[in-house]
Amino acid sequence: MTNFIIKTHRVGTIYSKPHLFLLNKGMNSGKPQKEPFTNSFVIIFQNEEDCESLFFIAYSLWQTKFWHQHLVGSVIPFLRLPDFKKQFNPQASLMMVEHEQHQKNVAALKLLEKKEKQYKEDMMLINDIRRAILYRYCRK
């Protein structure tokens, strides 16, 4: 299992080692991102490969709404740091047991992310062309 440190992110803190941020407030708690959130935890790693690998584990947990059962609070639900640490470590270990399958899943998720980005760019180009045609049509 990879070694990492989980702690609460403080605004303005700069991390020299590879790291990722996880949102800890609201219904999107557990959402991973490379850029800091205002209310987030930070996971600090020793190397970039571990960071990349655990990013997709955290992404999977967020997408499957794994953290919803651990949210507390009535108006703005949030995730407590001790609860997060207690659940994240065993869940990450469980998901990485079969390392080869984990690597295949990560590769598939990366490919899907790349295709989604390409699709969004294509949709933006289609909308730009549509707007240009409609603009020319209306100017006649």
Side-chain angles (χ1 to χ4, degrees), residues 40-65:
S40 63
F41 301 133
V42 62
I43 305 178
I44 304 168
F45 303 92
Q46 295 301 318
N47 56 45
E48 190 63 40
E49 299 85 46
D50 293 344
C51 182
E52 186 77 17
S53 181
L54 253 61
F55 175 85
F56 285 101
I57 288 175
Y59 181 78
S60 300
L61 292 173
W62 170 64
Q63 283 289 356
T64 58
K65 301 186 185 327

PDB file of all heavy atoms in Angstrom, residues 40-65:
ATOM      1  N   SER A  40     -11.418  21.732   1.883  1.00  0.00           N
ATOM      2  CA  SER A  40     -10.932  20.465   1.349  1.00  0.00           C
ATOM      3  C   SER A  40      -9.896  19.822   2.260  1.00  0.00           C
ATOM      4  O   SER A  40      -9.303  20.470   3.119  1.00  0.00           O
ATOM      5  CB  SER A  40     -10.342  20.657  -0.045  1.00  0.00           C
ATOM      6  OG  SER A  40      -9.225  21.506  -0.002  1.00  0.00           O
ATOM      7  N   PHE A  41      -9.707  18.541   2.022  1.00  0.00           N
ATOM      8  CA  PHE A  41      -8.604  17.797   2.610  1.00  0.00           C
ATOM      9  C   PHE A  41      -7.534  17.724   1.541  1.00  0.00           C
ATOM     10  O   PHE A  41      -7.822  17.811   0.347  1.00  0.00           O
ATOM     11  CB  PHE A  41      -9.023  16.372   2.975  1.00  0.00           C
ATOM     12  CG  PHE A  41     -10.162  16.285   3.947  1.00  0.00           C
ATOM     13  CD1 PHE A  41     -11.225  15.431   3.714  1.00  0.00           C
ATOM     14  CD2 PHE A  41     -10.177  17.038   5.110  1.00  0.00           C
ATOM     15  CE1 PHE A  41     -12.273  15.331   4.608  1.00  0.00           C
ATOM     16  CE2 PHE A  41     -11.225  16.946   6.012  1.00  0.00           C
ATOM     17  CZ  PHE A  41     -12.279  16.092   5.755  1.00  0.00           C
ATOM     18  N   VAL A  42      -6.300  17.558   1.981  1.00  0.00           N
ATOM     19  CA  VAL A  42      -5.206  17.362   1.036  1.00  0.00           C
ATOM     20  C   VAL A  42      -4.556  16.017   1.360  1.00  0.00           C
ATOM     21  O   VAL A  42      -4.407  15.653   2.529  1.00  0.00           O
ATOM     22  CB  VAL A  42      -4.186  18.526   1.090  1.00  0.00           C
ATOM     23  CG1 VAL A  42      -3.535  18.636   2.450  1.00  0.00           C
ATOM     24  CG2 VAL A  42      -3.137  18.390   0.003  1.00  0.00           C
ATOM     25  N   ILE A  43      -4.238  15.279   0.325  1.00  0.00           N
ATOM     26  CA  ILE A  43      -3.516  14.021   0.475  1.00  0.00           C
ATOM     27  C   ILE A  43      -2.154  14.229  -0.175  1.00  0.00           C
ATOM     28  O   ILE A  43      -2.074  14.559  -1.354  1.00  0.00           O
ATOM     29  CB  ILE A  43      -4.254  12.839  -0.185  1.00  0.00           C
ATOM     30  CG1 ILE A  43      -5.676  12.729   0.366  1.00  0.00           C
ATOM     31  CG2 ILE A  43      -3.484  11.548   0.047  1.00  0.00           C
ATOM     32  CD1 ILE A  43      -6.494  11.629  -0.260  1.00  0.00           C
ATOM     33  N   ILE A  44      -1.106  14.049   0.611  1.00  0.00           N
ATOM     34  CA  ILE A  44       0.263  14.295   0.151  1.00  0.00           C
ATOM     35  C   ILE A  44       0.963  12.948  -0.023  1.00  0.00           C
ATOM     36  O   ILE A  44       0.927  12.102   0.868  1.00  0.00           O
ATOM     37  CB  ILE A  44       1.025  15.173   1.159  1.00  0.00           C
ATOM     38  CG1 ILE A  44       0.253  16.479   1.376  1.00  0.00           C
ATOM     39  CG2 ILE A  44       2.435  15.462   0.662  1.00  0.00           C
ATOM     40  CD1 ILE A  44       0.751  17.293   2.548  1.00  0.00           C
ATOM     41  N   PHE A  45       1.615  12.771  -1.181  1.00  0.00           N
ATOM     42  CA  PHE A  45       2.259  11.512  -1.546  1.00  0.00           C
ATOM     43  C   PHE A  45       3.764  11.676  -1.663  1.00  0.00           C
ATOM     44  O   PHE A  45       4.264  12.794  -1.765  1.00  0.00           O
ATOM     45  CB  PHE A  45       1.714  11.012  -2.896  1.00  0.00           C
ATOM     46  CG  PHE A  45       0.233  10.828  -2.908  1.00  0.00           C
ATOM     47  CD1 PHE A  45      -0.606  11.845  -3.308  1.00  0.00           C
ATOM     48  CD2 PHE A  45      -0.327   9.630  -2.502  1.00  0.00           C
ATOM     49  CE1 PHE A  45      -1.975  11.680  -3.312  1.00  0.00           C
ATOM     50  CE2 PHE A  45      -1.693   9.455  -2.508  1.00  0.00           C
ATOM     51  CZ  PHE A  45      -2.522  10.478  -2.912  1.00  0.00           C
ATOM     52  N   GLN A  46       4.459  10.544  -1.723  1.00  0.00           N
ATOM     53  CA  GLN A  46       5.911  10.550  -1.909  1.00  0.00           C
ATOM     54  C   GLN A  46       6.287  10.648  -3.391  1.00  0.00           C
ATOM     55  O   GLN A  46       7.307  11.214  -3.731  1.00  0.00           O
ATOM     56  CB  GLN A  46       6.527   9.277  -1.311  1.00  0.00           C
ATOM     57  CG  GLN A  46       6.383   9.186   0.190  1.00  0.00           C
ATOM     58  CD  GLN A  46       7.040  10.349   0.913  1.00  0.00           C
ATOM     59  OE1 GLN A  46       8.133  10.769   0.551  1.00  0.00           O
ATOM     60  NE2 GLN A  46       6.366  10.873   1.916  1.00  0.00           N
ATOM     61  N   ASN A  47       5.434  10.080  -4.272  1.00  0.00           N
ATOM     62  CA  ASN A  47       5.750  10.137  -5.705  1.00  0.00           C
ATOM     63  C   ASN A  47       4.475  10.339  -6.526  1.00  0.00           C
ATOM     64  O   ASN A  47       3.362  10.145  -6.048  1.00  0.00           O
ATOM     65  CB  ASN A  47       6.511   8.883  -6.162  1.00  0.00           C
ATOM     66  CG  ASN A  47       5.768   7.613  -5.851  1.00  0.00           C
ATOM     67  OD1 ASN A  47       4.566   7.518  -6.087  1.00  0.00           O
ATOM     68  ND2 ASN A  47       6.474   6.626  -5.320  1.00  0.00           N
ATOM     69  N   GLU A  48       4.673  10.720  -7.772  1.00  0.00           N
ATOM     70  CA  GLU A  48       3.569  11.079  -8.668  1.00  0.00           C
ATOM     71  C   GLU A  48       2.709   9.874  -9.051  1.00  0.00           C
ATOM     72  O   GLU A  48       1.507  10.002  -9.239  1.00  0.00           O
ATOM     73  CB  GLU A  48       4.135  11.744  -9.925  1.00  0.00           C
ATOM     74  CG  GLU A  48       3.093  12.381 -10.813  1.00  0.00           C
ATOM     75  CD  GLU A  48       2.342  13.518 -10.140  1.00  0.00           C
ATOM     76  OE1 GLU A  48       2.951  14.306  -9.420  1.00  0.00           O
ATOM     77  OE2 GLU A  48       1.104  13.614 -10.352  1.00  0.00           O
ATOM     78  N   GLU A  49       3.300   8.677  -9.167  1.00  0.00           N
ATOM     79  CA  GLU A  49       2.536   7.490  -9.555  1.00  0.00           C
ATOM     80  C   GLU A  49       1.470   7.160  -8.508  1.00  0.00           C
ATOM     81  O   GLU A  49       0.338   6.805  -8.845  1.00  0.00           O
ATOM     82  CB  GLU A  49       3.446   6.264  -9.749  1.00  0.00           C
ATOM     83  CG  GLU A  49       4.492   6.405 -10.827  1.00  0.00           C
ATOM     84  CD  GLU A  49       5.754   7.096 -10.325  1.00  0.00           C
ATOM     85  OE1 GLU A  49       6.256   6.761  -9.240  1.00  0.00           O
ATOM     86  OE2 GLU A  49       6.228   7.994 -11.039  1.00  0.00           O
ATOM     87  N   ASP A  50       1.852   7.263  -7.235  1.00  0.00           N
ATOM     88  CA  ASP A  50       0.891   7.003  -6.164  1.00  0.00           C
ATOM     89  C   ASP A  50      -0.243   8.029  -6.199  1.00  0.00           C
ATOM     90  O   ASP A  50      -1.408   7.684  -6.001  1.00  0.00           O
ATOM     91  CB  ASP A  50       1.574   7.040  -4.796  1.00  0.00           C
ATOM     92  CG  ASP A  50       2.555   5.908  -4.593  1.00  0.00           C
ATOM     93  OD1 ASP A  50       2.492   4.932  -5.355  1.00  0.00           O
ATOM     94  OD2 ASP A  50       3.378   6.011  -3.664  1.00  0.00           O
ATOM     95  N   CYS A  51       0.119   9.270  -6.459  1.00  0.00           N
ATOM     96  CA  CYS A  51      -0.883  10.339  -6.530  1.00  0.00           C
ATOM     97  C   CYS A  51      -1.880  10.060  -7.647  1.00  0.00           C
ATOM     98  O   CYS A  51      -3.091  10.154  -7.447  1.00  0.00           O
ATOM     99  CB  CYS A  51      -0.190  11.678  -6.746  1.00  0.00           C
ATOM    100  SG  CYS A  51      -1.297  13.098  -6.795  1.00  0.00           S
ATOM    101  N   GLU A  52      -1.376   9.700  -8.799  1.00  0.00           N
ATOM    102  CA  GLU A  52      -2.230   9.409  -9.951  1.00  0.00           C
ATOM    103  C   GLU A  52      -3.137   8.212  -9.677  1.00  0.00           C
ATOM    104  O   GLU A  52      -4.325   8.224  -9.980  1.00  0.00           O
ATOM    105  CB  GLU A  52      -1.356   9.132 -11.182  1.00  0.00           C
ATOM    106  CG  GLU A  52      -2.101   8.949 -12.458  1.00  0.00           C
ATOM    107  CD  GLU A  52      -2.585  10.257 -13.045  1.00  0.00           C
ATOM    108  OE1 GLU A  52      -2.092  11.311 -12.653  1.00  0.00           O
ATOM    109  OE2 GLU A  52      -3.468  10.206 -13.907  1.00  0.00           O
ATOM    110  N   SER A  53      -2.573   7.188  -9.063  1.00  0.00           N
ATOM    111  CA  SER A  53      -3.319   5.975  -8.778  1.00  0.00           C
ATOM    112  C   SER A  53      -4.448   6.246  -7.783  1.00  0.00           C
ATOM    113  O   SER A  53      -5.595   5.835  -7.995  1.00  0.00           O
ATOM    114  CB  SER A  53      -2.364   4.914  -8.232  1.00  0.00           C
ATOM    115  OG  SER A  53      -3.045   3.730  -7.979  1.00  0.00           O
ATOM    116  N   LEU A  54      -4.138   6.944  -6.699  1.00  0.00           N
ATOM    117  CA  LEU A  54      -5.157   7.217  -5.690  1.00  0.00           C
ATOM    118  C   LEU A  54      -6.157   8.280  -6.146  1.00  0.00           C
ATOM    119  O   LEU A  54      -7.271   8.332  -5.630  1.00  0.00           O
ATOM    120  CB  LEU A  54      -4.515   7.604  -4.362  1.00  0.00           C
ATOM    121  CG  LEU A  54      -4.623   6.483  -3.321  1.00  0.00           C
ATOM    122  CD1 LEU A  54      -3.936   5.234  -3.766  1.00  0.00           C
ATOM    123  CD2 LEU A  54      -4.205   6.937  -1.983  1.00  0.00           C
ATOM    124  N   PHE A  55      -5.775   9.112  -7.107  1.00  0.00           N
ATOM    125  CA  PHE A  55      -6.735  10.072  -7.654  1.00  0.00           C
ATOM    126  C   PHE A  55      -7.929   9.329  -8.238  1.00  0.00           C
ATOM    127  O   PHE A  55      -9.081   9.693  -7.997  1.00  0.00           O
ATOM    128  CB  PHE A  55      -6.093  10.945  -8.734  1.00  0.00           C
ATOM    129  CG  PHE A  55      -7.070  11.872  -9.400  1.00  0.00           C
ATOM    130  CD1 PHE A  55      -7.371  13.091  -8.841  1.00  0.00           C
ATOM    131  CD2 PHE A  55      -7.705  11.508 -10.577  1.00  0.00           C
ATOM    132  CE1 PHE A  55      -8.283  13.954  -9.431  1.00  0.00           C
ATOM    133  CE2 PHE A  55      -8.627  12.345 -11.182  1.00  0.00           C
ATOM    134  CZ  PHE A  55      -8.911  13.577 -10.612  1.00  0.00           C
ATOM    135  N   PHE A  56      -7.671   8.274  -8.984  1.00  0.00           N
ATOM    136  CA  PHE A  56      -8.758   7.537  -9.617  1.00  0.00           C
ATOM    137  C   PHE A  56      -9.558   6.711  -8.609  1.00  0.00           C
ATOM    138  O   PHE A  56     -10.751   6.488  -8.797  1.00  0.00           O
ATOM    139  CB  PHE A  56      -8.247   6.689 -10.777  1.00  0.00           C
ATOM    140  CG  PHE A  56      -7.925   7.530 -11.979  1.00  0.00           C
ATOM    141  CD1 PHE A  56      -6.623   7.871 -12.277  1.00  0.00           C
ATOM    142  CD2 PHE A  56      -8.932   8.031 -12.779  1.00  0.00           C
ATOM    143  CE1 PHE A  56      -6.327   8.675 -13.363  1.00  0.00           C
ATOM    144  CE2 PHE A  56      -8.661   8.837 -13.869  1.00  0.00           C
ATOM    145  CZ  PHE A  56      -7.345   9.163 -14.160  1.00  0.00           C
ATOM    146  N   ILE A  57      -8.928   6.284  -7.535  1.00  0.00           N
ATOM    147  CA  ILE A  57      -9.669   5.613  -6.470  1.00  0.00           C
ATOM    148  C   ILE A  57     -10.614   6.613  -5.812  1.00  0.00           C
ATOM    149  O   ILE A  57     -11.791   6.330  -5.595  1.00  0.00           O
ATOM    150  CB  ILE A  57      -8.715   4.976  -5.446  1.00  0.00           C
ATOM    151  CG1 ILE A  57      -8.053   3.749  -6.078  1.00  0.00           C
ATOM    152  CG2 ILE A  57      -9.447   4.599  -4.164  1.00  0.00           C
ATOM    153  CD1 ILE A  57      -7.007   3.100  -5.224  1.00  0.00           C
ATOM    154  N   ALA A  58     -10.085   7.800  -5.497  1.00  0.00           N
ATOM    155  CA  ALA A  58     -10.917   8.844  -4.889  1.00  0.00           C
ATOM    156  C   ALA A  58     -12.042   9.262  -5.841  1.00  0.00           C
ATOM    157  O   ALA A  58     -13.186   9.474  -5.417  1.00  0.00           O
ATOM    158  CB  ALA A  58     -10.062  10.054  -4.523  1.00  0.00           C
ATOM    159  N   TYR A  59     -11.731   9.339  -7.130  1.00  0.00           N
ATOM    160  CA  TYR A  59     -12.735   9.685  -8.133  1.00  0.00           C
ATOM    161  C   TYR A  59     -13.840   8.630  -8.173  1.00  0.00           C
ATOM    162  O   TYR A  59     -15.022   8.956  -8.236  1.00  0.00           O
ATOM    163  CB  TYR A  59     -12.056   9.817  -9.501  1.00  0.00           C
ATOM    164  CG  TYR A  59     -12.987  10.194 -10.615  1.00  0.00           C
ATOM    165  CD1 TYR A  59     -13.410  11.514 -10.776  1.00  0.00           C
ATOM    166  CD2 TYR A  59     -13.452   9.247 -11.526  1.00  0.00           C
ATOM    167  CE1 TYR A  59     -14.266  11.866 -11.811  1.00  0.00           C
ATOM    168  CE2 TYR A  59     -14.298   9.583 -12.553  1.00  0.00           C
ATOM    169  CZ  TYR A  59     -14.705  10.899 -12.696  1.00  0.00           C
ATOM    170  OH  TYR A  59     -15.556  11.244 -13.710  1.00  0.00           O
ATOM    171  N   SER A  60     -13.447   7.371  -8.105  1.00  0.00           N
ATOM    172  CA  SER A  60     -14.425   6.273  -8.113  1.00  0.00           C
ATOM    173  C   SER A  60     -15.323   6.330  -6.887  1.00  0.00           C
ATOM    174  O   SER A  60     -16.543   6.148  -6.990  1.00  0.00           O
ATOM    175  CB  SER A  60     -13.719   4.923  -8.152  1.00  0.00           C
ATOM    176  OG  SER A  60     -12.923   4.815  -9.298  1.00  0.00           O
ATOM    177  N   LEU A  61     -14.737   6.574  -5.727  1.00  0.00           N
ATOM    178  CA  LEU A  61     -15.526   6.662  -4.495  1.00  0.00           C
ATOM    179  C   LEU A  61     -16.503   7.829  -4.556  1.00  0.00           C
ATOM    180  O   LEU A  61     -17.647   7.731  -4.116  1.00  0.00           O
ATOM    181  CB  LEU A  61     -14.602   6.799  -3.277  1.00  0.00           C
ATOM    182  CG  LEU A  61     -13.756   5.576  -2.954  1.00  0.00           C
ATOM    183  CD1 LEU A  61     -12.768   5.897  -1.847  1.00  0.00           C
ATOM    184  CD2 LEU A  61     -14.632   4.399  -2.576  1.00  0.00           C
ATOM    185  N   TRP A  62     -16.050   8.948  -5.117  1.00  0.00           N
ATOM    186  CA  TRP A  62     -16.931  10.116  -5.237  1.00  0.00           C
ATOM    187  C   TRP A  62     -18.075   9.843  -6.213  1.00  0.00           C
ATOM    188  O   TRP A  62     -19.236  10.130  -5.919  1.00  0.00           O
ATOM    189  CB  TRP A  62     -16.123  11.333  -5.689  1.00  0.00           C
ATOM    190  CG  TRP A  62     -16.961  12.496  -6.060  1.00  0.00           C
ATOM    191  CD1 TRP A  62     -17.791  13.229  -5.243  1.00  0.00           C
ATOM    192  CD2 TRP A  62     -17.097  13.068  -7.356  1.00  0.00           C
ATOM    193  NE1 TRP A  62     -18.409  14.216  -5.960  1.00  0.00           N
ATOM    194  CE2 TRP A  62     -18.005  14.143  -7.264  1.00  0.00           C
ATOM    195  CE3 TRP A  62     -16.524  12.788  -8.595  1.00  0.00           C
ATOM    196  CZ2 TRP A  62     -18.347  14.929  -8.355  1.00  0.00           C
ATOM    197  CZ3 TRP A  62     -16.865  13.569  -9.667  1.00  0.00           C
ATOM    198  CH2 TRP A  62     -17.778  14.631  -9.546  1.00  0.00           C
ATOM    199  N   GLN A  63     -17.772   9.271  -7.364  1.00  0.00           N
ATOM    200  CA  GLN A  63     -18.797   9.010  -8.379  1.00  0.00           C
ATOM    201  C   GLN A  63     -19.842   8.016  -7.901  1.00  0.00           C
ATOM    202  O   GLN A  63     -21.006   8.106  -8.286  1.00  0.00           O
ATOM    203  CB  GLN A  63     -18.160   8.485  -9.673  1.00  0.00           C
ATOM    204  CG  GLN A  63     -17.511   9.539 -10.506  1.00  0.00           C
ATOM    205  CD  GLN A  63     -18.505  10.467 -11.172  1.00  0.00           C
ATOM    206  OE1 GLN A  63     -19.705  10.314 -11.086  1.00  0.00           O
ATOM    207  NE2 GLN A  63     -17.981  11.471 -11.849  1.00  0.00           N
ATOM    208  N   THR A  64     -19.442   7.064  -7.071  1.00  0.00           N
ATOM    209  CA  THR A  64     -20.398   6.074  -6.569  1.00  0.00           C
ATOM    210  C   THR A  64     -21.103   6.539  -5.300  1.00  0.00           C
ATOM    211  O   THR A  64     -21.841   5.761  -4.683  1.00  0.00           O
ATOM    212  CB  THR A  64     -19.700   4.725  -6.295  1.00  0.00           C
ATOM    213  OG1 THR A  64     -18.652   4.929  -5.348  1.00  0.00           O
ATOM    214  CG2 THR A  64     -19.149   4.126  -7.573  1.00  0.00           C
ATOM    215  N   LYS A  65     -20.859   7.801  -4.922  1.00  0.00           N
ATOM    216  CA  LYS A  65     -21.488   8.417  -3.739  1.00  0.00           C
ATOM    217  C   LYS A  65     -21.177   7.656  -2.448  1.00  0.00           C
ATOM    218  O   LYS A  65     -21.993   7.575  -1.536  1.00  0.00           O
ATOM    219  CB  LYS A  65     -22.989   8.577  -3.945  1.00  0.00           C
ATOM    220  CG  LYS A  65     -23.338   9.438  -5.147  1.00  0.00           C
ATOM    221  CD  LYS A  65     -24.810   9.695  -5.242  1.00  0.00           C
ATOM    222  CE  LYS A  65     -25.252  10.429  -6.469  1.00  0.00           C
ATOM    223  NZ  LYS A  65     -24.438  11.390  -7.059  1.00  0.00           N
TER     224      LYS A  65
END
